[in-house]
Amino acid sequence: MVRYADDSVYCFEYEEDAKEFYLQMIKRLKTFNLEVAEEKTKIISIKKDRDDDSDDEGGLGVSSFDFLGFTHYEGRSKSGVRRIMRKTSKKKYKASLIRCKEWIKTNRHMATKDFMKKLKIKVLGHCRYYGITDNNPAVSNFIDEVKRLIYKWLNRRSQCKSFSWDKFNLFLKKYPLPRAKTYVRIFDPGAGYSYVM
């Protein structure tokens, strides 16, 4: 079980356990005058060894779901094993870039050393939260987008263009941003079905 505020995900090895838990949870919540938001609640079937063209049993499967800022989807590991993988959700990725853009735009007139020090801390926070197994490409893309934003907005500090790309690359050697790194490693679950509600 993973729980955060009023959102939760429960994982089961067997489909019947997931369905029974769901029914019992609805009954239990009713005793406290609470109810499940049915439009946001579903049982998802994930089977690692099924053929690519086969249908999910009972129509329970979906291609992905978002939870805690990550899109969870079925994929294959480097060794070819089918498993749940995670990447930054599009909504959170876009929101993070917009916040970064606004901060860069607003603070671009700070002293360069202070500007890059504070920005590095912000980017590092993003990297540490989203730096989990399978998500390096999304984190790396985010860092590249931040670099483009820095280039764009630092070049607008005055009427003269401050950087060419060559000069900007030298600037980044002096004030480097963090690199994409896996901070949290999530290992493959056991074989067979995984049912996620």
Side-chain angles (χ1 to χ4, degrees):
M1 180 185 80
V2 178
R3 190 180 72 78
Y4 181 78
D6 59 348
D7 298 325
S8 56
V9 173
Y10 303 89
C11 301
F12 300 88
E13 186 175 0
Y14 302 108
E15 179 181 3
E16 56 271 21
D17 291 345
K19 289 179 176 178
E20 180 62 25
F21 175 84
Y22 182 61
L23 294 172
Q24 292 301 323
M25 183 177 66
I26 290 171
K27 288 179 185 175
R28 180 74 174 146
L29 288 173
K30 279 184 182 177
T31 63
F32 300 101
N33 291 323
L34 298 171
E35 59 186 36
V36 170
E38 291 188 19
E39 70 282 358
K40 296 180 181 178
T41 306
K42 55 191 163 195
I43 297 175
I44 301 167
S45 171
I46 300 153
K47 185 180 178 187
K48 296 198 308 185
D49 58 351
R50 72 166 186 249
D51 295 329
D52 285 332
D53 298 329
S54 68
D55 293 330
D56 290 303
E57 293 179 18
L60 298 174
V62 298
S63 58
S64 66
F65 67 96
D66 288 356
F67 184 67
L68 298 180
F70 294 95
T71 298
H72 301 254
Y73 62 99
E74 186 180 2
R76 289 185 184 274
S77 67
K78 290 179 182 177
S79 59
V81 176
R82 200 183 280 275
R83 63 175 169 80
I84 295 298
M85 302 177 88
R86 292 151 194 89
K87 62 184 176 183
T88 311
S89 74
K90 289 181 182 179
K91 182 179 174 183
K92 295 294 184 180
Y93 184 92
K94 186 176 179 182
S96 295
L97 269 183
I98 289 170
R99 279 196 310 275
C100 237
K101 175 188 168 185
E102 290 306 315
W103 189 89
I104 291 168
K105 189 177 173 182
T106 304
N107 295 283
R108 64 189 171 188
H109 296 293
M110 288 173 65
T112 302
K113 186 177 180 181
D114 294 336
F115 173 85
M116 289 304 292
K117 184 179 178 182
K118 289 185 179 182
L119 183 59
K120 185 176 181 177
I121 291 168
K122 292 179 182 300
V123 173
L124 187 58
H126 180 92
C127 292
R128 286 187 173 161
Y129 184 83
Y130 290 102
I132 67 169
T133 303
D134 305 319
N135 200 34
N136 265 5
V139 174
S140 186
N141 287 342
F142 178 82
I143 294 165
D144 289 343
E145 288 294 330
V146 170
K147 287 176 184 176
R148 289 185 192 98
L149 290 170
I150 297 167
Y151 178 80
K152 175 182 177 179
W153 289 104
L154 290 190
N155 266 329
R156 293 186 176 187
R157 285 195 291 194
S158 65
Q159 291 181 343
C160 298
K161 193 173 181 181
S162 303
F163 294 113
S164 66
W165 276 107
D166 289 336
K167 283 185 180 178
F168 184 64
N169 286 327
L170 290 173
F171 172 82
L172 287 176
K173 282 185 180 178
K174 186 175 181 181
Y175 302 106
L177 289 176
R179 291 187 176 188
K181 178 181 170 185
T182 302
Y183 290 91
V184 177
R185 299 191 181 278
I186 301 172
F187 300 104
D188 291 353
Y193 283 95
S194 294
Y195 288 90
V196 181
M197 185 178 76

